[in-house]
Amino acid sequence: MKSHISNALSDFFFEYETPRQVLVRNRRVGVVCRIIQLGVLAYIIGWVFIYEKGYQSADTAVSSVFTKMKGVGYTSINGSERVWDVADYVFPSQGDASFVVMTNYIITEGQEMGTCPELHGKHNCSTNADCEGGSFKRTGHGQMTGVCVENKTCEVLAWCPVEDDHKIPDPPMLMSAENYTLFIKNSVTFPLFGVSRSNLVEDIDAAYISKCLHHPDDAPLCPIFKLGDIVKLSGFDFETIARVGGAIGIVVDWTCNFDVDVTHCKPQYNFHGLYGNAAETDKAKASVGYNFRYAKHYMDNKVQKRTLLKVFGIRFDIIVQSLARKFDIIPTLTAIGSGVGIFGVATVVCDLVLLYLLPKRAFYKNMKFKYTDTHVQHDSELLGLEKSDYCNLEANARQVQGTGQSNDPDSEAGSTETEVSKK
């Protein structure tokens, strides 16, 4: 028992096993194998390493966006002139990555709380019974009092006079918004690589900012944008979107390769029209454009009043996209290892062809697999010989018997003799 244990341990520590290799000279199988291997090699080099950058680790940025609008608008309504500055037409206050620039509006001045007729089409009536007192309608302006007034509409308790927004000003009231300018300041940090960048890159200084205006070809890094240019680059018509409002996405794209100098990491600006183009499918939608309401309250002779504005504007959403890459040995070795493993597909396919499809599949199967008969061990024990000595005697006997047999290496008999003699 002790000797068996020691032999087992000796075999485990001091012996090495290697797979048996069989060289097959077959053109069809060889061509299939090489084609598969070339395909795998092209996949590893072309897709994994070149396209997917499998030799690099990747990181996304933590970003911050600051914005500032500049420009002045002018309107004249019934002889009343007014100048609109950034405090009047930017919502919310400046600095956010998402904001609205007012381009058109409907104003209702001098509203105060009281009772007044509802607009036609909101609560039409013929008698007081048609106006249920104390009830509301979703599209109405206030609470019905139960009175049907002379113009055949229900009387409501609301901010009076009620707003009439049936007619949208055309052309837009603030067409001058086309010349407003937007300044974007963006900072990004890639924590994995410890790199921080700003869209005010090395070539941009105070003197350059004071006179530059963004242009995709002539000034692609200038962070100051004209609103008319943004709308045009997003595929919209400014007068159309200014009349009813809409939304535009400004994408700041940071795609960087830190295997080269970090100064090559610079932003790219892209503009996308999200909605608001009435000339396209938006015309068929129930709600076109973008609008909201806000009110300015004040006191007049101790009576609370307000000025209501229905604002049509362009909503700008500044979106930062980032992806930085840098060489890393771990993903490189992982990609190489997976590629080497895929090379095994060629072996599997060729084995299937050899063992199951070719006419000489029995011959190739005999060459590939080594079969051990149980009677060999039994007979060697009866003769008192070691297994290796018994195999040598059996091989010599087969050599003597095989003098009259074919020595053609392509035949199954020839392959068996060759295999046994090599043992």
Side-chain angles (χ1 to χ4, degrees):
M1 182 66 181
K2 184 177 180 181
S3 61
H4 286 293
I5 296 176
S6 62
N7 290 336
L9 292 174
S10 177
D11 292 344
F12 177 78
F13 286 105
F14 303 112
E15 289 185 357
Y16 169 73
E17 297 178 356
T18 184
R20 184 182 185 188
Q21 301 291 329
V22 178
L23 178 62
V24 179
R25 297 185 180 276
N26 187 294
R27 292 183 179 180
R28 286 177 292 180
V29 177
V31 169
V32 170
C33 181
R34 297 299 174 244
I35 290 176
I36 296 176
Q37 289 176 341
L38 286 175
V40 172
L41 186 63
Y43 164 77
I44 296 172
I45 296 175
W47 178 265
V48 176
F49 282 98
I50 297 178
Y51 186 80
E52 290 290 337
K53 304 292 189 298
Y55 59 92
Q56 294 177 318
S57 58
D59 189 23
T60 56
V62 179
S63 67
S64 174
V65 176
F66 166 83
T67 60
K68 181 182 289 186
M69 289 290 305
K70 285 189 176 181
V72 176
Y74 169 82
T75 59
S76 178
I77 303 175
N78 299 325
S80 176
E81 296 181 311
R82 179 172 178 176
V83 172
W84 302 76
D85 60 18
V86 292
D88 298 318
Y89 61 72
V90 177
F91 307 91
S93 58
Q94 296 198 60
D96 292 341
S98 180
F99 58 93
V100 179
V101 176
M102 181 171 64
T103 55
N104 203 4
Y105 63 89
I106 297 174
I107 188 169
T108 307
E109 297 180 305
Q111 286 186 320
E112 62 178 278
M113 188 61 62
T115 58
C116 54
E118 182 60 280
L119 287 180
H120 278 285
K122 298 291 185 180
H123 299 307
N124 294 341
C125 63
S126 57
T127 64
N128 290 342
D130 297 327
C131 304
E132 184 181 351
S135 63
F136 300 85
K137 285 193 176 181
R138 184 179 61 87
T139 58
H141 290 91
Q143 176 180 284
M144 287 187 287
T145 63
V147 178
C148 181
V149 296
E150 294 179 358
N151 64 351
K152 300 302 180 181
T153 61
C154 294
E155 184 183 66
V156 292
L157 174 65
W159 287 96
C160 299
V162 295
E163 177 192 55
D164 184 1
D165 61 349
H166 288 161
K167 185 177 180 181
I168 301 175
D170 191 11
M173 303 293 292
L174 291 172
M175 275 296 294
S176 57
E178 187 175 10
N179 297 315
Y180 297 167
T181 57
L182 168 64
F183 171 61
I184 300 176
K185 186 176 181 180
N186 175 219
S187 299
V188 295
T189 299
F190 297 96
L192 181 63
F193 306 125
V195 177
S196 296
R197 296 289 291 166
S198 169
N199 66 330
L200 305 180
V201 294
E202 289 74 17
D203 298 333
I204 297 179
D205 53 19
Y208 177 77
I209 290 179
S210 64
K211 61 182 180 181
C212 79
L213 195 62
H214 180 86
H215 188 277
D217 300 321
D218 300 334
L221 295 176
C222 179
I224 298 177
F225 307 83
K226 184 179 176 182
L227 257 61
D229 294 338
I230 295 176
V231 173
K232 182 179 179 181
L233 291 171
S234 67
F236 285 165
D237 174 71
F238 188 86
E239 183 173 353
T240 301
I241 196 174
R243 178 179 177 270
V244 295
I248 293 175
I250 302 175
V251 178
V252 186
D253 183 18
W254 294 88
T255 301
C256 302
N257 181 9
F258 289 146
D259 287 334
V260 298
D261 195 276
V262 295
T263 57
H264 293 282
C265 180
K266 298 178 180 180
Q268 291 184 342
Y269 302 96
N270 301 298
F271 309 93
H272 304 276
L274 303 180
Y275 61 86
N277 191 351
E280 297 180 345
T281 56
D282 283 356
K283 181 176 289 186
K285 295 182 179 179
S287 178
V288 178
Y290 177 82
N291 63 79
F292 63 94
R293 291 174 175 86
Y294 84 100
K296 294 182 178 180
H297 294 262
Y298 61 95
M299 298 295 293
D300 184 13
N301 294 326
K302 298 183 180 181
V303 177
Q304 185 180 18
K305 294 185 178 182
R306 73 176 189 179
T307 298
L308 178 68
L309 282 94
K310 182 176 182 180
V311 174
F312 300 88
I314 305 174
R315 177 189 175 101
F316 293 94
D317 294 308
I318 301 175
I319 305 166
V320 179
Q321 293 181 345
S322 60
L323 180 63
R325 295 181 179 274
K326 191 175 183 180
F327 174 78
D328 192 340
I329 190 62
I330 294 177
T332 302
L333 293 179
T334 302
I336 293 174
S338 62
V340 172
I342 298 174
F343 270 104
V345 174
T347 304
V348 173
V349 173
C350 292
D351 282 350
L352 291 175
V353 173
L354 281 174
L355 302 178
Y356 299 103
L357 300 180
L358 292 182
K360 293 185 178 181
R361 51 185 176 272
F363 166 69
Y364 290 121
K365 185 178 294 186
N366 183 53
M367 295 295 294
K368 180 174 177 62
F369 299 105
K370 180 180 180 181
Y371 299 95
T372 302
D373 296 329
T374 57
H375 78 275
V376 173
Q377 182 176 0
H378 178 70
D379 293 346
S380 64
E381 291 177 353
L382 290 176
L383 295 174
L385 298 174
E386 294 290 336
K387 184 177 178 180
S388 59
D389 295 334
Y390 179 84
C391 290
N392 290 333
L393 290 175
E394 187 179 27
N396 291 333
R398 289 184 178 180
Q399 285 182 350
V400 173
Q401 294 175 358
T403 54
Q405 298 179 1
S406 172
N407 291 325
D408 184 4
D410 289 336
S411 67
E412 295 186 22
S415 65
T416 302
E417 289 178 1
T418 305
E419 189 62 27
V420 173
S421 64
K422 286 182 179 180
K423 295 178 183 177

